Structure formats: structure tokens, C-alpha cells
Amino acid sequence: LAQNCAVWGLSTSKVATDLIASHDFTLLDIDLAQPLPSYLPQFDIVFALEPLAGTPQNLPHAPEISPKTKNIVSLAKTPPTKVFVFAEISASAEFYDFLVRGDPDLKKSLNLLLVGDLYGPLMPLDAAGLLNNLLTQAVKTDKVILEDEGLAPIYPAYITDVIFAINKIVFAQNAKPVHFLVSESAKTALTCAYEIQNAVSLTYGKQLGLFFSGAPGQTTQKPQILIRTHDLSFIPKVDLAQGLKNTLD
């Protein structure tokens, strides 16, 4: 909107009044699981900000994608529309091949953004993700309980780093179709809990206890996805220690 673009939005949440008041913003009331209305314009850029539902975990033996996802993905078949879909990082880059299914029309304009554990100031504590779960425990109680011996991988993704990355990726020429949106390489849940423990102590003066649930040796973790920050399409600026301080402040 700030760049004089006409923006159409679809949301199940409350939309800010300043957006509604803008002449360049249109709020849609449609069911994405149904065929898309013919009155919609041809968009230049489409963001499916909500992570795709039913992300396949056992490729290539994955379930069929939902009608909602199919409709969103199909918009990429009408160039010059560029479609950016989001999925949890656990989907891995193989999810892109699952979405395009060898369709050359989709490959031209469909982009997959794999998001890590999103967090930051003013982000809802009840949002999905293991990092948010640990933060919620730290803020609301005096202890943090870790499952799977604290070995679960966390991919910190600070909100301003993610927004910066999206802006850069969208307008890049000849960009690759799959991007990881993280602020740093994976850390274990236990490492993040220690960071949170330290940040809460400095910010609130509160001492957190760290505890484990479940029997020792019984872990259910999937293999960690290797992400090296120097291979990203952008340069992250906020590490976990600084991000936690900003968030707790």
C-alpha cells in the first residue's frame, strides 16, 4: 500500500481499521476451497501467508493437497502472476516438487517459502511453534518443561528478518523457487531454553527452572534439516539472544 499498489486481502482474523479505510485495499469474503470467483483481477503477486495445511511428512507417499491449496497454487499458471506459498520448515524443499508435480507452467511462477520458528515483539504467544511454546511457558510460569530430552530442533526466525527476506525475494530477478526463512542455523530446544532462561533473568529478574518430561531415551524427533545461514537468500540481522531481549522487552 505504501508503494501505491492495489491490495486485496482475505483474512479470518480482525483486520486493522487503517487497512479497511485505504482506497487501495479490498477485503474479500470468499471460500478458497471453492472455485475462485470470475470477478477477481489477475494479480501480480499472491501471498498465501497461512502455512499450507496438510504438509506431507512422508514424501513421496504424501496425501493429496486440499482444494484450498490447489486453488492458490493454480494461480501461478497464469503469468505474470507470481505465487508465494508458505509452509513449515519441516516440509523440506522436497515439498516444492510435490506441489508442482512436473507442471512446467507452475514451475515458472510458483515459489515456496519455508518458515522457521517465527517469533518477535507483539507476536501472539499462542502462535504455533516450539519456540513460542517455550516462550509462553517462560512468561506465564516459573518453569520450562522440555519434551524429547530437549533435542528437538528449533529454527529461530525473527519477524523483521523474515519480512526483510520476503521483500528481497519477491522482487529479485531469476530467484530460485525455494527459500528458507530463518535467522540462524538450527538449535536444540534445550539450547534455546537456556537462552530464554538467561533472557528472562535479565529482563524480569525471574529464575526459571528447566525440566524434562517423558522417559529418558524415548525421543520421537525427525532428522534435522541442515541450513547454513550463508546459503540463504538474505543476510539475517537478529540472533536469538538479541531477538529474545527485544521480544521480552
Side-chain angles (χ1 to χ4, degrees), residues 73 76-79 81 96 100 102-110:
V73 169
K77 290 188 175 184
T78 54
T81 301
Y96 182 80
V100 298
D103 189 326
D105 291 331
L106 285 179
K107 286 184 176 181
K108 293 176 183 177
S109 302
L110 184 67

Side-chain angles (χ1 to χ4, degrees), residues 26 45 57 127 133 167 181 196 206-207 220 229 231 240 242 247:
T26 301
I45 300 171
Q57 300 294 331
N133 176 273
N167 283 330
L181 304 186
I196 291 171
K206 181 170 71 172
Q207 301 304 313
T220 58
T229 52
D231 291 333
L240 183 60
Q242 185 61 49
T247 303

Side-chain angles (χ1 to χ4, degrees), residues 44-48 52 72-73 75-77 80-87 93 95-97 99-100 105-114 166 169-181 233:
D44 296 304
I45 300 171
V46 174
F47 291 109
L52 295 183
I72 294 172
V73 169
L75 292 171
K77 290 188 175 184
T81 301
K82 296 168 66 176
V83 177
F84 295 84
V85 295
F86 292 73
F95 190 35
Y96 182 80
D97 295 325
L99 289 173
V100 298
D105 291 331
L106 285 179
K107 286 184 176 181
K108 293 176 183 177
S109 302
L110 184 67
N111 301 269
L112 176 64
L113 305 181
L114 296 165
I166 293 170
I169 292 166
V170 166
F171 298 107
Q173 297 296 321
N174 301 317
K176 58 186 179 181
V178 180
H179 301 268
F180 289 93
L181 304 186
S233 306

Side-chain angles (χ1 to χ4, degrees), residues 31-248:
D31 182 0
L32 284 176
Q34 301 299 320
L36 298 177
S38 59
Y39 64 76
L40 292 180
Q42 180 170 1
F43 299 108
D44 296 304
I45 300 171
V46 174
F47 291 109
L49 292 172
E50 179 184 2
L52 295 183
T55 297
Q57 300 294 331
N58 299 304
L59 294 169
H61 308 292
E64 287 295 317
I65 57 178
S66 68
K68 175 180 175 180
T69 300
K70 285 182 179 179
N71 280 337
I72 294 172
V73 169
S74 68
L75 292 171
K77 290 188 175 184
T78 54
T81 301
K82 296 168 66 176
V83 177
F84 295 84
V85 295
F86 292 73
E88 295 179 1
I89 206 165
S90 59
S92 80
E94 291 178 318
F95 190 35
Y96 182 80
D97 295 325
F98 175 77
L99 289 173
V100 298
R101 302 283 185 90
D103 189 326
D105 291 331
L106 285 179
K107 286 184 176 181
K108 293 176 183 177
S109 302
L110 184 67
N111 301 269
L112 176 64
L113 305 181
L114 296 165
V115 189
D117 292 81
L118 195 62
Y119 78 106
L122 303 181
M123 296 290 291
L125 283 175
D126 60 353
L130 180 53
L131 183 55
N132 260 325
N133 176 273
L134 299 181
L135 271 170
T136 301
Q137 292 186 65
V139 171
K140 294 185 175 181
T141 72
D142 60 356
K143 60 186 176 183
V144 171
I145 300 175
L146 297 159
E147 299 179 354
D148 295 318
E149 300 182 6
L151 298 178
I154 288 178
Y155 304 84
Y158 191 69
I159 182 64
T160 56
D161 277 343
V162 170
I163 293 172
F164 171 77
I166 293 170
N167 283 330
K168 181 177 180 181
I169 292 166
V170 166
F171 298 107
Q173 297 296 321
N174 301 317
K176 58 186 179 181
V178 180
H179 301 268
F180 289 93
L181 304 186
V182 298
S183 294
E184 51 195 309
S185 302
K187 300 176 180 290
T188 65
L190 180 58
T191 298
C192 291
Y194 282 133
E195 293 268 16
I196 291 171
Q197 187 182 47
N198 183 57
V200 167
S201 175
L202 293 174
T203 304
Y204 295 155
K206 181 170 71 172
Q207 301 304 313
L208 286 177
L210 302 183
F211 301 91
F212 297 97
S213 68
Q218 295 183 354
T219 63
T220 58
Q221 293 310 310
K222 298 179 176 63
Q224 177 179 312
I225 298 172
L226 179 62
I227 300 174
R228 299 173 298 187
T229 52
H230 62 267
D231 291 333
L232 298 176
S233 306
F234 68 104
I235 300 176
K237 302 181 186 304
V238 182
D239 62 18
L240 183 60
Q242 185 61 49
L244 289 173
K245 180 182 184 303
N246 297 346
T247 303
L248 294 171

